Amino acid sequence: MSKPFKRILLTGAAGGLGRLLRERIKPWADIVRLSDMADVGPAGEGEEVVRCDLADKAAVLALMEGVDAVLHFGGISTEAPFDAIMQANILGMANMYEAIHKCGVKRVVFASSNHTMGFYKTTDLVDADMPPRPDGMYGISKVFGESLSRYYYDRFGIETVCLRIGSCFPEPADPRMMVTYLSADDLVEALRCSLFAARVGHTIAFGVSDNKAKWWDDRKSRHLGFVAKDSSTPFEHKFPDNGNYAPADNITITFQGGGFLLTGPQYN
């Protein structure tokens, strides 16, 4: 039986989320092309492995050949000095979308981040139409990616879902993650919906499970059809004060970005 896509490209395949997704996206495509600067290991059945530096424009163009859809998880995934962020997340993003345009790819899921909105307070309820308030250079690079993908949709009709991923780990590690927790199953389902929805235009969605405490209002992406099945509730016994996640003098508690608020410009 033919699969929905002939070839899906997964960038950042050597990263934590890339490794998680590698096997789970195989039912969606005849071939999954795995790419990273780091070693992802040998190609398995139904896989291709292409090592690529996203800052290399020619290499990215070659990487995109024959691709039907892109799951873009590549780049730096934490706060870092701007020079590194610039190469991987900004120049790399520009190279990606130019290659996507030239190769005729029509559907992209961009792994954006909750850190695009990290300077909203923990008492705020944020939706996709509110102005970005990034909490560091990493968050700024994701805002750039969201804006760039919007341009390529407006100018060339390339549809993108920008998924502002919360905290996708086996379980929450602190009270903040009780709010931002995203289970692996919910991440995969959000990606599936983003790829298979009939029309997505340019959508900003929040990648989060159905947790009790909420900072993000995702009603503007309901057309994707994503419904979270999991929740951080099974872990609430570890953080009994979760319901009182209130402002305090510590900015990592006052604002949604958490520990990312203490990094950033000090690197320069």
Side-chain angles (χ1 to χ4, degrees):
M1 178 180 288
S2 178
K3 296 181 180 180
F5 294 98
K6 180 179 179 181
R7 182 178 282 103
I8 289 177
L9 169 63
L10 173 64
T11 65
L17 295 183
R19 293 194 303 272
L20 182 154
L21 295 172
R22 181 171 179 169
E23 290 297 324
R24 299 183 72 165
I25 65 175
K26 283 186 175 181
W28 305 342
D30 295 331
I31 299 170
V32 174
R33 180 174 290 171
L34 305 165
S35 181
D36 207 303
M37 287 184 67
D39 183 14
V40 302
E45 183 178 355
E47 294 181 339
E48 297 171 342
V49 172
V50 181
R51 187 170 291 193
C52 181
D53 180 353
L54 297 178
D56 184 335
K57 187 174 183 178
V60 173
L61 182 60
L63 175 68
M64 202 63 61
E65 291 180 1
V67 169
D68 303 309
V70 176
L71 299 176
H72 183 37
F73 281 72
I76 293 174
S77 61
T78 59
E79 190 59 37
F82 178 74
D83 287 350
I85 292 282
M86 173 67 191
Q87 292 298 309
N89 294 21
I90 296 179
L91 179 58
M93 189 71 173
N95 289 340
M96 282 289 297
Y97 267 84
E98 188 59 15
I100 285 165
H101 166 51
K102 288 181 176 178
C103 291
V105 178
K106 295 301 183 184
R107 182 66 60 92
V108 182
V109 184
F110 168 48
S112 187
S113 171
N114 68 93
H115 292 287
T116 57
M117 312 297 276
F119 260 110
Y120 280 96
K121 291 186 176 181
T122 54
T123 51
D124 293 329
L125 185 63
V126 176
D127 70 33
D129 287 343
M130 295 169 70
R133 296 182 65 178
D135 54 34
M137 294 299 171
Y138 169 70
I140 288 168
S141 75
K142 293 299 185 178
V143 173
F144 172 81
E146 291 182 357
S147 295
L148 186 76
S149 62
R150 177 80 221 195
Y151 166 76
Y152 274 87
Y153 172 66
D154 290 339
R155 182 68 179 84
F156 302 111
I158 298 167
E159 294 194 303
T160 296
V161 176
C162 300
L163 188 63
R164 290 176 172 170
I165 295 171
S167 303
C168 190
F169 296 95
E171 61 181 65
D174 54 40
R176 178 182 182 274
M177 287 191 187
M178 289 294 293
V179 187
T180 62
Y181 174 71
L182 173 65
S183 72
D185 286 349
D186 282 342
L187 171 61
V188 172
E189 177 63 7
L191 295 177
R192 188 192 68 80
C193 290
S194 298
L195 284 176
F196 292 108
R199 292 283 295 169
V200 301
H202 184 268
T203 297
I204 293 175
F206 291 91
V208 65
S209 290
D210 186 22
N211 308 322
K212 282 185 178 179
K214 299 183 187 300
W215 291 341
W216 309 322
D217 178 350
D218 215 19
R219 285 178 293 180
K220 298 183 185 300
S221 66
R222 283 181 177 170
H223 56 280
L224 298 180
F226 168 63
V227 178
K229 302 297 185 184
D230 295 322
S231 168
S232 61
T233 300
F235 308 103
E236 63 186 0
H237 64 281
K238 296 185 175 184
F239 310 103
D241 295 330
N242 177 56
N244 297 316
Y245 204 82
D249 291 340
N250 185 340
I251 64 170
T252 68
I253 296 176
T254 304
F255 296 99
Q256 295 184 13
F260 275 55
L261 292 152
L262 299 179
T263 58
Q266 69 190 46
Y267 279 112
N268 295 329

